[in-house]
Structures are given as structure tokens and as C-alpha cells.
Amino acid sequence: MQRRTVLTAAAVSAVFGILGSPAIAQTKWNLAAAYSNTNFHTENLVEFAKDVERLSGGKLSITVHGNASLFKAPEIKRAVATGQAQVGEVLISIHENENPLFGIDVVPFLATSFADSKKLWTAVKPDITKALDAQGLMVLFAVPWPPQGIYAKKDLNSVADMKGLKWRAYNVGTARIADIVGAQPLTIQAAELPQALATGVVDSFMSSGATGYDSKVWESLSHFYDTQAWLPNNVTFVNKAAFAALDKPTQEAVLKAAAEAEVRGRKISEEKTNWYFKELAAKGMKVQPPSPAFKAELAKVGETLTADWARKAGAAGEAAVAAYKK
């Protein structure tokens, strides 16, 4: 009798042990992102993470850390390359000093529509993929920002009106614009922009309607000029070793979720462009195109920036632009 009781307890214990153990071993990744949690890029990353977990049957879980809370924007690429985070998203043009091809999407007036932005990314993706691969990174997807315009707290009727502005720069191109027009460039990433505006550190910058909305720019500035200068890409990449450590079905889940995230992100960016403009206007900002004369002067600035970029990019840049224009 006693022996039967012991066996029964052991059997019950074994059953509960099986039921209590996880059905699968779950891998957990961290994704470092630079933009606010309410920004459409970050929201798209959260959906990507959900898709990965669903498609992998729960085998891979990705936690998205927005607003540069895990690493500051310029640090994200290196952090993922060294395995401090498994996935990251950056505005790829902030690394143009490292490789001119990373800045091809901010060559002024080269690709100014969503269709052209997609075509340009398709043309340059092999080169960017190769460059990041050499750093231990694998490209997952790219999503463009809405077209870039100029924010200011006064009327801008000419390039001369930009002289002396405290101009927020976030990449080579925006810093160079300040040099050309006589503004004062200050390197400030998106997560730091609201404070810089509130404290008067900057009084102007070039960015999309999305960044202006996220930063509540209407609390500090009054004008937005829709120059449609370029559509810069945020690129999401994964540490190659971390990806290689996944089993084949989980790798396929990541790639499928990435492909869906690129399509979804592009669609959202395009759909929200006019919505951002309406919201800025509703907050009291003057949202308008630049005057014909101002636009012509900006085009001249663009020609200088394009020539600067072409000299740095050399044959590789020339080939990428030719492929895009084909």
C-alpha cells in the first residue's frame, strides 16, 4: 500500500513537471531604436516584433527599445555589430562620413517622391548590404521618412534669410547646408530635439513632418516650408552571428516579418505625410511650399551638395546613381 502511494505521488509530480515546463526554448533579442515610441517607425518595429514572435511560434521574442533609450542613435550600429543588442534601426545617412553610399538618399533632389525613393533604395541596397555585411550586420528592411522640409520661426524668402539661424544638423548633408547658407550647425539627434527647441539651442532645422509632430515643434517654431528635398531611409539590421544562431524556420520567420515591415512602413509613411502637414497647420504653423525664388536658390545649394557627395562617393556612387536613373 505504501509503495503504491509513493508511485502515485511520483507519477503526479512527473505530470505536473511536464505541464509546468515551457513547451519551447525562447530566444530573446533587444532592438535598439532612436525615435520616440509614438513615431511611426517605432510603431512599425513593434509590429515587426509581434510578427516575428507569431511567425516563429513563440521561439523568438524581440523587445523594442525606442527613443534612444538603449543606445543613442550614432551608437546603435556599433552596438549591434558588437552584439550588445541583436537588432537595431538607424537613419543610415548619419553614417555618411564612414561610407558616402550611406548618404545617397540625402543627395538633394535626387529622389523626391516615394516611388523614386523605393527605386533608389533598390539600386543602392546591394552596396549597402555588402558594406554592413563586412561589419557583421545583415540588412532586414528599410523604410523612408516623408519628404524633408525646413522649420523656422520666421519667414524665409531667400537663402539669405537663413544666415545666422541656429540650425539643427543630424547628418553630413544638413551640416553642409548650414555651412553654405551661413547658419550655425548644431548636431542634435531626434531624441534630443524637443529639449533643444524648448531651450532655444536651435531655432531651425530640416526634417519631415513626422519629426516636427513628434517634437511638438509648434511650441517653439512657426513656419514649415515643404521643400521635398529628400526622403531619408531608416535601415533595420541584425547581428549576423545572432541570426545565424537561429534555426532555419525562425530565420525564415524573421525574414518574412521584415519583408512585411518594409511594405507596411512605406505605406504608413506615405499615408501620414499629408496628415502630419494638417496637424502642424492645425497647431497654428504656417505650412507652405517655398517661393519660386527661394526654391531656385535651394536647388543651387542642392547642386553644391550633390557635387560634394559625388566627389566623395567616386565610381561607386556614380554607378549607384546610374543604376537608379536607368
Side-chain angles (χ1 to χ4, degrees), residues 3-230:
R3 184 171 181 272
R4 182 182 299 172
T5 303
V6 171
L7 287 175
T8 303
V12 171
S13 177
V15 169
F16 275 96
I18 291 170
L19 292 176
S21 62
I24 54 170
Q26 187 179 62
T27 299
K28 295 184 178 182
W29 282 1
N30 289 309
L31 192 162
Y35 299 93
S36 73
N37 293 323
T38 56
N39 180 269
F40 78 92
H41 281 289
T42 310
E43 291 175 342
N44 190 41
L45 293 173
V46 170
E47 290 303 311
F48 163 69
K50 289 178 181 177
D51 287 346
V52 167
E53 186 152 10
R54 174 178 55 82
L55 293 168
S56 69
K59 287 194 288 186
L60 177 59
S61 174
I62 301 176
T63 300
V64 177
H65 302 268
N67 206 38
S69 59
L70 199 58
F71 296 98
K72 292 182 179 180
E75 301 168 354
I76 289 175
K77 184 162 72 68
R78 178 172 174 78
V80 177
T82 56
Q84 297 175 73
Q86 291 77 27
V87 194
E89 181 207 47
V90 298
L91 183 73
I92 194 63
S93 64
I94 68 174
H95 296 293
E96 183 182 340
N97 272 331
E98 173 190 325
N99 184 332
L101 288 178
F102 291 159
I104 193 171
D105 57 15
V106 294
V107 173
F109 310 111
L110 177 62
T112 59
S113 69
F114 282 94
D116 285 347
S117 170
K118 183 178 180 180
K119 186 180 177 184
L120 181 60
W121 170 247
T122 300
V124 78
K125 183 179 178 181
D127 294 309
I128 290 180
T129 297
K130 184 178 179 181
L132 293 178
D133 180 81
Q135 298 175 349
L137 301 168
M138 185 178 82
V139 171
L140 290 177
F141 59 94
V143 174
W145 289 86
Q148 306 288 284
I150 296 175
Y151 291 91
K153 64 176 182 180
K154 66 175 185 177
D155 288 327
L156 299 178
N157 297 307
S158 68
V159 164
D161 292 335
M162 298 175 69
K163 186 173 183 179
L165 292 177
K166 291 183 286 186
W167 176 266
R168 174 242 178 171
Y170 61 83
N171 59 15
V172 172
T174 50
R176 185 76 176 100
I177 288 172
D179 292 338
I180 295 170
V181 304
Q184 178 186 351
L186 297 149
T187 301
I188 296 170
Q189 299 304 321
E192 303 161 343
L193 183 55
Q195 183 178 5
L197 288 168
T199 56
V201 172
V202 294
D203 58 17
S204 57
F205 62 100
M206 174 173 273
S207 195
S208 69
T211 299
Y213 180 79
D214 289 345
S215 304
K216 297 183 177 179
V217 67
W218 54 85
E219 294 180 353
S220 306
L221 307 182
S222 55
H223 293 62
F224 177 78
Y225 292 92
D226 182 20
T227 59
Q228 299 185 358
W230 57 69

